[in-house]
């Protein structure tokens, strides 16, 4: 089965609000985590990543938090915009070069203006 | 960032025909490529790992004779869906790993929508 999953299937927010999308993983050996954004009919687009030796990483308007104790990953989007509407997936792998990413089930973010 | 392309972006075929999907890394050499399929409103499911010059490694439940993968060069991997049936209709996405970059960075193609009538 999938080693990464758990999510809220949908999240609806108002423009300008902050969004938090959650993900749980079960593989303690997972070393590398990535958040992807997928718009309808397109391939996944890289947002931000984090390695297991970190607990927080910030990008432009996005922050990823990693809690290894409870195997939980979250993506925070600041000042959410309508263009952020998409499906968001967390993905993980063991960190070994050449291994595939395992994707979680995804959360659909809807931003209303 | 690195660019991965897929061709075609959409294909409609009759049941029983074979369809080839190409995945190309445009500005880097990809020693490893991955093929995923995605059904509507579902996540990406790994089908196989393709290493240049060797046989692909298929995930459990994926028929290797049904989904032929060839990775003959460092910039091209192909997925051929043989004797396609309506249940093979899906969104097929490839990704490629850039060995010169971060070890785990994978770049995804835009996907190919396959519809089998």
């Amino acid at each position: 089965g999938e080693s990464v999953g758990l999510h809220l299937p949908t999240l609806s927010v108002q423009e300008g609000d902050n969004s938090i999308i959650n993900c749980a993983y079960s593989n303690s050996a997972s070393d590398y985590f990535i958040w992807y954004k997928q718009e309808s009919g397109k391939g996944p687009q890289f947002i931000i990543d984090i390695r297991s030796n970190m607990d927080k990483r910030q990008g432009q308007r996005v922050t990823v938090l990693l809690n290894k104790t409870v195997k939980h990953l979250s993506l925070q989007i600041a000042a959410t915009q309508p263009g952020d509407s998409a499906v968001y997936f967390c993905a993980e792998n063991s960190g070994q070069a050449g291994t595939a990413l395992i994707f979680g089930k995804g959360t659909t973010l809807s931003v209303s203006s | 960032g690195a660019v991965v392309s897929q061709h075609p972006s959409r294909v409609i075929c009759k049941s029983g025909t074979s369809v080839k999907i190409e995945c190309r890394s445009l500005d880097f050499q990809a020693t490893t490529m991955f093929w995923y399929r995605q059904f509507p409103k579902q996540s990406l499911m790994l089908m196989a790992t393709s290493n240049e010059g060797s046989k692909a490694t298929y995930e459990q439940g994926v028929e290797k004779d049904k989904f032929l993968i060839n990775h003959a060069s460092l910039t091209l991997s192909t997925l051929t869906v043989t004797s396609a049936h309506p249940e093979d209709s899906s969104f097929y996405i490839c990704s490629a790993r850039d060995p010169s970059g971060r070890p785990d960075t994978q770049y995804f193609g835009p996907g190919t929508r396959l519809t089998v009538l």
Side-chain angles (χ1 to χ4, degrees):
Chain A
E2 293 179 76
S3 66
V4 185
L6 220 278
H7 60 297
L8 280 176
T10 59
L11 175 65
S12 297
V13 300
Q14 290 284 111
E15 181 178 3
D17 287 351
N18 295 333
S19 302
I20 299 176
I21 299 172
N22 296 304
C23 183
Y25 64 96
S26 59
N27 186 357
S28 300
S30 295
D31 180 61
Y32 179 60
F33 305 87
I34 314 102
W35 281 100
Y36 286 94
K37 172 186 180 183
Q38 186 180 30
E39 297 175 317
S40 181
K42 298 183 179 179
Q45 176 187 354
F46 174 90
I47 301 173
I48 192 168
D49 60 359
I50 190 168
R51 292 197 178 277
S52 60
N53 62 352
M54 303 174 67
D55 52 22
K56 181 179 180 179
R57 190 153 187 252
Q58 287 185 290
Q60 187 176 14
R61 282 203 305 121
V62 294
T63 301
V64 55
L65 298 177
L66 175 62
N67 185 329
K68 294 180 287 293
T69 302
V70 295
K71 299 191 189 71
H72 184 268
L73 189 71
S74 69
L75 175 70
Q76 300 178 1
I77 304 174
T80 315
Q81 303 168 0
D84 295 327
S85 295
V87 180
Y88 289 80
F89 293 98
C90 61
E92 58 91 18
N93 74 5
S94 63
Q96 294 178 19
T99 57
L101 296 171
I102 304 300
F103 280 78
K105 292 193 171 102
T107 295
T108 300
L109 175 65
S110 298
V111 183
S112 53
S113 53
Chain B
V3 178
V4 174
S5 70
Q6 281 183 239
H7 178 80
S9 58
R10 288 179 178 271
V11 56
I12 300 173
C13 69
K14 293 182 179 179
S15 185
T17 60
S18 295
V19 175
K20 179 184 285 188
I21 302 170
E22 294 183 347
C23 177
R24 293 182 185 273
S25 55
L26 297 185
D27 49 4
F28 65 98
Q29 293 186 325
T31 52
T32 305
M33 290 184 171
F34 305 93
W35 286 96
Y36 295 82
R37 67 188 295 182
Q38 184 179 32
F39 291 109
K41 299 192 184 302
Q42 294 191 23
S43 187
L44 282 74
M45 297 297 294
L46 178 67
M47 298 176 67
T49 300
S50 169
N51 290 300
E52 186 267 337
S54 63
K55 290 183 179 180
T57 302
Y58 290 81
E59 294 299 299
Q60 190 174 7
V62 178
E63 299 175 57
K64 62 180 181 181
D65 295 330
K66 171 84 173 168
F67 299 100
L68 300 178
I69 292 172
N70 184 286
H71 193 162
S73 79
L74 287 171
T75 59
L76 174 64
S77 176
T78 61
L79 167 68
T80 301
V81 183
T82 62
S83 186
H85 290 283
E87 58 265 30
D88 298 324
S89 298
S90 188
F91 194 50
Y92 291 87
I93 307 171
C94 71
S95 71
R97 189 176 75 87
D98 180 358
S100 67
R102 293 162 63 93
D104 309 307
T105 300
Q106 295 182 25
Y107 301 96
F108 283 83
T112 297
R113 173 76 60 193
L114 170 63
T115 303
V116 185
L117 302 177

